Amino acid sequence: MSSSRFQKHIESFACGHCGAFVEGNGYTNHCPRCLWSRHVDIFPGDRAAACGELMAPVSAWLEHGEWQLRHRCLACGYEKKNRLSADDDMSVLADIVRGGKK
């Protein structure tokens, strides 16, 4: 996936999974409280995916010193890798790494 296709959109939203209000910064692609996402993009920021359903955090791993998170769409099965950020809830991340509740 080419980084030249990235489209920055500063959008705030209510999480579709936990209901938390998320203040977007243009790079926000998941809820920092529960780590769930929504299937809205084909390429980052384009909002072109027709699905629009929730994406569960299904796995996490360290890659080049940064935590990565894999989301899977509950409706269509599409999977997407995302970087975690400093404001993400690391206790939820720990549960995902251990294979516990997501």
Side-chain angles (χ1 to χ4, degrees):
M1 188 175 310
S2 171
S3 62
S4 65
R5 291 203 166 153
F6 174 78
Q7 297 175 32
K8 183 177 179 179
H9 290 281
I10 300 174
E11 301 170 318
S12 298
F13 59 93
C15 176
H17 182 256
C18 73
F21 177 76
V22 179
E23 188 76 40
N25 65 10
Y27 301 99
T28 309
N29 57 25
H30 59 269
C31 174
R33 186 166 121 188
C34 69
L35 305 183
W36 280 63
S37 186
R38 187 169 293 277
H39 187 184
V40 295
D41 295 338
I42 294 174
F43 294 102
D46 67 8
R47 304 303 184 253
C51 185
E53 294 297 325
L54 289 175
M55 296 182 74
V58 295
S59 63
W61 65 96
L62 267 175
E63 185 175 288
H64 306 293
E66 292 184 314
W67 281 103
Q68 306 292 319
L69 185 64
R70 176 147 323 267
H71 287 106
R72 181 178 302 131
C73 181
L74 299 180
C76 70
Y78 174 77
E79 292 190 0
K80 174 79 172 122
K81 177 176 91 167
N82 291 295
R83 240 181 281 159
L84 269 78
S85 63
D87 61 343
D88 288 334
D89 187 330
M90 293 303 155
S91 67
V92 175
L93 172 66
D95 287 343
I96 294 166
V97 171
R98 287 192 302 262
K101 286 186 178 180
K102 294 164 192 69

